[in-house]
Amino acid sequence: MSVPLPAPLTDLNRLCVHTITTKPWPLERAADEYARAGVRGISVWRDTLLGRDITREGELLRAHGLTVVSLCRGGFFAHADEAGRREAHYDNRLAIDQAAALGAPLVVLVCGALPGQPLGRSRDQIRRGIEDLLPHAEQNQVRLAIEPLHPMYADSRSAINTLAQANDLAIAIGSASVGVAVDVYHLWWDPDLQIQILRAGQADKLFAFHVCDWKTPTEDLLLDRGIPGEGCIEIRRIRGWVEQAGFHGFNEVEIFSKRHWEGDQTAYLERIVQAYRGHV
Amino acid sequence: MSVPLPAPLTDLNRLCVHTITTKPWPLERAADEYARAGVRGISVWRDTLLGRDITREGELLRAHGLTVVSLCRGGFFAHADEAGRREAHYDNRLAIDQAAALGAPLVVLVCGALPGQPLGRSRDQIRRGIEDLLPHAEQNQVRLAIEPLHPMYADSRSAINTLAQANDLAIAIGSASVGVAVDVYHLWWDPDLQIQILRAGQADKLFAFHVCDWKTPTEDLLLDRGIPGEGCIEIRRIRGWVEQAGFHGFNEVEIFSKRHWEGDQTAYLERIVQAYRGHV
C-alpha cells in the first residue's frame, strides 16, 4: 500500500501553529506574529486564556485572519477516586465552554494515566469520562479528539498510546463528535500507523494532524521536540497517508522545546515556516 | 482472559542478574557477589569479557553455582551501507562465538535503527541480518532472541518496538533457534502484550524474560530504570502471563541506572533480591 510522497507545501494556507510552540508569547503577541509570518491557523493552549475575555480573544484572532483550529487541552480522566474524576469532568466541561466562546471547533484530549493504576482501569475511566462529557460537547457543537500519546507517557499522561487504541475507542463511543488527533511525534514508530490512519479516515474520525520532529538524541522526555527536519520522522510521508485518508485540514506545528523557547521567538517562527515548506 | 496473579517468588532459584545491572563490578566480582547474595543465574554483557579468556570465565561462573543465561548483546543490523552491515555480521558471529565459549545458550539481539533511515528499510535489514547469522548460530547451538525495544528507541536502537513485530519476525524466519525476549520495561504499556506473550509461548518463541521498573518521572531515556517496585509496571501480573504461556526460565533483572551505579553495589544487589521477592 505505497502512497507517493506528496509535493511540498508551496503556500501556508494549511499551516497552523500551537501557542505552546512559542510559549514565551502571550496570546495577543502570538496572534500578531503568526499573522505577520503568514501562518493561517492557531491552536490555543488554555494557559494563554488565563484572565482573558475569551470571546474577545476569539474575535481578535479572527481579526488577524487566523482560523482557530483547536483548544488544547482537555482530558486527564484517570483518577484514583470519584472526587478526582468529578473534578476532571468539570474542568473538561469548562474546556468545552472555553472552546465554544473562543470559536474553536475542537478540544484535544490528553486522556490521562495514573502511575500505579493498572492501564486497563485508566482506559475504562477514559471511556466513561469521554461519554459523560459528550452531551455537553454535542450541545456546544465542539468536537473532541482523542490524541494517542507516545508510550513513554503511559505512566502519567495517557493510557491511550497507539492510533489503533484511539480509533477503537472513538469508534466504540460511536458519536460523530468524537474522533482522533494524529501527532507524528507520538506515532511515527508504529508499524500499523499507515493502516490505522486510513481506518480513522474511513470512519470519519481523523480530526487533527500535528507535526514536529524526533531528535537524536532526545535529551528530555517532555521538552526536547524538534522543528520538522531536525529529527528522523518521515513527516511528509505521513502527511501523504493522512491526505490519502481524506484529511485536508490544517497541519499543526506543536513543539515543546526548552531549547527553542530560550531563543528569539520571531526568528524561531521564521525557521518553523521554512521547515514547513521544506519538511512537512 | 484474566490470569490470576502468581504467588510471590519465595526462593531465588529463577533469579538471574545482568552484569550491566551492577556495571561498576568486573565479571569476577559480580560472580562472587551474586553467588553470595543467592542469585542463581547471570546474563553476561560483552564489555565484561574484554581481555578475558572467555572459556575460563564461563568455568568460573559455573564454579560459583551460576547458570549462564544469556550473552548481551548482538544485533544492530541497520546500516546505511553494505560495509556497515558486513561489520555488524562479523561482530554478531563473534558474539555467537563468545556465547559458545562462555557456555551461554542465548544471544540477545538489540536489532538496530538508523536515524533518518526509514523504519521499513531497517526492518528489512534486520531480517536479512538475522537470517545471514542463522547458520553460524545453529552450528554453535546458540539461540538468538529478538528483543523488541521501547518505541522511544526507534530512532537509533531498534526498529522492532512491539512484541507483535518481534513475534512476526521470529515466526517468519522460521528457525527453532530464533525467538523473542520479553522485557517489561519496553513492553508494559502495550495493550496487546498479554495476547502476544501467549502467542510467543504457543509458537515456542518465548526465550527470555527481563524485569526492571518504569519510574515516574523518568529523567533519562537510557539510564534511569528502576528496581522492581520503584515504578509503575505490574511486573508480577506480566510474570503471570509469561508463565501461563509456558515460560519457566529465569527472571532476569536488567537495570540501567546512573543513580544506582553511583551507590554501594553490594547494598544495591541486596535491594534487588528483596525487590525480587516483593515485586516480581
Side-chain angles (χ1 to χ4, degrees):
Chain A
M1 199 170 41
S2 184
V3 176
L5 212 56
L9 295 152
T10 50
D11 63 58
L12 305 181
N13 290 341
R14 293 167 56 210
L15 169 57
C16 167
V17 176
H18 280 235
T19 59
I20 194 80
T21 300
T22 56
K23 190 170 188 246
W25 282 340
L27 185 55
E28 299 76 14
R29 175 80 186 273
D32 272 349
E33 299 267 2
Y34 291 9
R36 189 171 310 138
V39 175
R40 303 295 296 274
I42 185 168
S43 276
V44 176
W45 280 59
R46 294 171 72 192
D47 62 291
T48 64
L49 298 175
L50 256 174
R52 305 290 207 280
D53 177 329
I54 296 177
T55 305
R56 285 193 51 185
E57 293 293 328
E59 288 161 4
L60 174 96
L61 298 176
R62 282 181 289 277
H64 278 80
L66 293 165
T67 299
V68 184
V69 176
S70 68
L71 183 74
C72 295
R73 55 197 190 180
F76 289 98
F77 298 106
H79 291 275
D81 56 24
E82 191 50 41
R85 289 191 289 278
R86 198 172 318 121
E87 199 175 318
H89 176 72
Y90 283 103
D91 184 63
N92 280 310
R93 285 179 65 101
L94 178 62
I96 290 167
D97 293 338
Q98 291 173 328
L102 192 66
L106 184 70
V107 170
V108 176
L109 301 177
V110 169
C111 292
L114 207 63
Q117 172 164 292
L119 290 167
R121 194 177 306 156
S122 293
R123 288 168 190 152
D124 290 343
Q125 294 175 358
I126 289 165
R127 175 165 178 174
R128 233 179 3 255
I130 296 173
E131 288 175 337
D132 289 349
L133 209 53
L134 205 42
H136 194 66
E138 288 169 348
Q139 203 175 339
N140 283 277
Q141 298 183 295
V142 169
R143 302 200 297 174
L144 305 174
I146 300 164
E147 181 172 22
L149 254 54
H150 195 284
M152 72 185 172
Y153 303 125
D155 59 336
S156 57
R157 282 184 168 74
S158 183
I160 307 295
N161 305 104
T162 64
L163 186 53
Q165 277 182 291
N167 280 338
D168 286 348
L169 182 55
I171 290 166
I173 290 173
S175 158
S177 296
V178 178
V180 302
V182 168
D183 185 319
V184 300
Y185 190 76
H186 296 303
L187 304 176
W188 71 279
W189 58 271
D190 185 351
D192 292 332
L193 183 57
Q194 182 181 4
I195 191 98
Q196 290 294 334
I197 284 174
L198 201 60
R199 179 181 171 220
Q202 286 171 344
D204 288 326
K205 295 299 180 197
L206 193 37
F207 285 6
F209 180 52
H210 298 179
V211 298
C212 69
D213 216 337
W214 181 283
K215 289 172 56 225
T216 303
T218 289
E219 284 165 9
D220 186 284
L221 274 79
L222 269 180
L223 305 179
D224 194 24
R225 299 189 184 190
I227 298 174
E230 282 191 313
C232 63
I233 302 178
E234 293 191 280
I235 302 172
R236 185 166 294 162
R237 186 170 304 282
I238 299 174
R239 176 166 69 81
W241 298 344
V242 162
E243 291 175 359
Q244 189 210 24
F247 180 85
H248 296 283
F250 279 91
N251 301 302
E252 307 181 40
V253 178
E254 182 193 31
I255 304 170
F256 310 153
S257 168
K258 238 186 296 197
R259 186 173 47 101
H260 287 304
W261 290 337
E262 280 166 3
D264 175 78
Q265 297 299 287
T266 304
Y268 168 43
L269 183 62
E270 193 44 53
R271 278 190 64 191
I272 289 172
V273 170
Q274 285 167 18
Y276 181 78
R277 296 182 195 270
H279 297 281
V280 175
Chain B
M1 199 171 39
S2 184
V3 176
L5 212 57
L9 295 152
T10 51
D11 62 58
L12 306 182
N13 290 342
R14 293 167 56 211
L15 169 57
C16 166
V17 176
H18 281 235
T19 59
I20 193 81
T21 300
T22 56
K23 190 171 187 247
W25 283 338
L27 185 55
E28 300 75 15
R29 175 81 187 271
D32 272 347
E33 298 268 2
Y34 291 8
R36 189 172 308 137
V39 174
R40 303 294 295 274
I42 186 168
S43 276
V44 176
W45 280 58
R46 293 171 72 191
D47 62 291
T48 65
L49 298 175
L50 256 174
R52 307 290 208 278
D53 177 329
I54 296 177
T55 305
R56 286 193 52 185
E57 293 293 328
E59 288 162 3
L60 174 96
L61 298 177
R62 282 181 288 278
H64 279 79
L66 293 165
T67 299
V68 184
V69 176
S70 67
L71 184 73
C72 294
R73 56 195 188 183
F76 289 97
F77 299 105
H79 292 275
D81 55 23
E82 192 50 42
R85 289 190 289 278
R86 197 173 318 121
E87 198 175 319
H89 176 73
Y90 284 103
D91 184 63
N92 280 311
R93 285 179 65 101
L94 178 63
I96 290 167
D97 293 338
Q98 291 173 327
L102 191 66
L106 184 71
V107 170
V108 176
L109 301 177
V110 168
C111 291
L114 207 62
Q117 172 163 293
L119 290 168
R121 193 176 308 156
S122 293
R123 289 168 189 150
D124 289 344
Q125 293 175 357
I126 289 164
R127 175 164 179 175
R128 233 178 4 254
I130 296 173
E131 287 175 339
D132 288 348
L133 209 54
L134 206 43
H136 195 65
E138 288 170 347
Q139 203 175 342
N140 284 277
Q141 297 184 297
V142 170
R143 301 201 297 173
L144 305 174
I146 300 165
E147 181 173 22
L149 254 54
H150 194 284
M152 72 184 172
Y153 304 125
D155 58 337
S156 57
R157 283 184 168 73
S158 182
I160 307 295
N161 305 104
T162 64
L163 186 52
Q165 276 182 292
N167 280 338
D168 286 349
L169 183 56
I171 290 167
I173 290 173
S175 158
S177 296
V178 177
V180 302
V182 168
D183 184 318
V184 300
Y185 190 77
H186 297 302
L187 304 176
W188 71 279
W189 58 271
D190 185 351
D192 293 331
L193 183 56
Q194 182 181 2
I195 192 98
Q196 290 294 334
I197 285 175
L198 201 59
R199 179 181 171 220
Q202 287 171 345
D204 288 325
K205 295 298 180 198
L206 194 37
F207 286 5
F209 181 52
H210 297 179
V211 299
C212 69
D213 216 338
W214 182 282
K215 289 173 56 225
T216 304
T218 289
E219 284 165 9
D220 186 285
L221 274 78
L222 270 180
L223 305 179
D224 194 26
R225 299 189 184 191
I227 299 173
E230 281 191 314
C232 63
I233 303 177
E234 294 190 281
I235 301 171
R236 185 167 294 162
R237 186 169 304 282
I238 299 174
R239 176 166 69 81
W241 298 344
V242 162
E243 291 175 0
Q244 190 211 22
F247 180 85
H248 296 282
F250 279 91
N251 302 302
E252 307 181 41
V253 178
E254 182 191 32
I255 304 170
F256 310 152
S257 168
K258 237 187 296 197
R259 187 174 46 101
H260 287 304
W261 289 337
E262 280 166 4
D264 175 77
Q265 297 299 288
T266 304
Y268 169 43
L269 183 62
E270 192 46 53
R271 278 191 63 191
I272 289 172
V273 170
Q274 286 167 18
Y276 181 78
R277 296 182 195 270
H279 298 280
V280 175

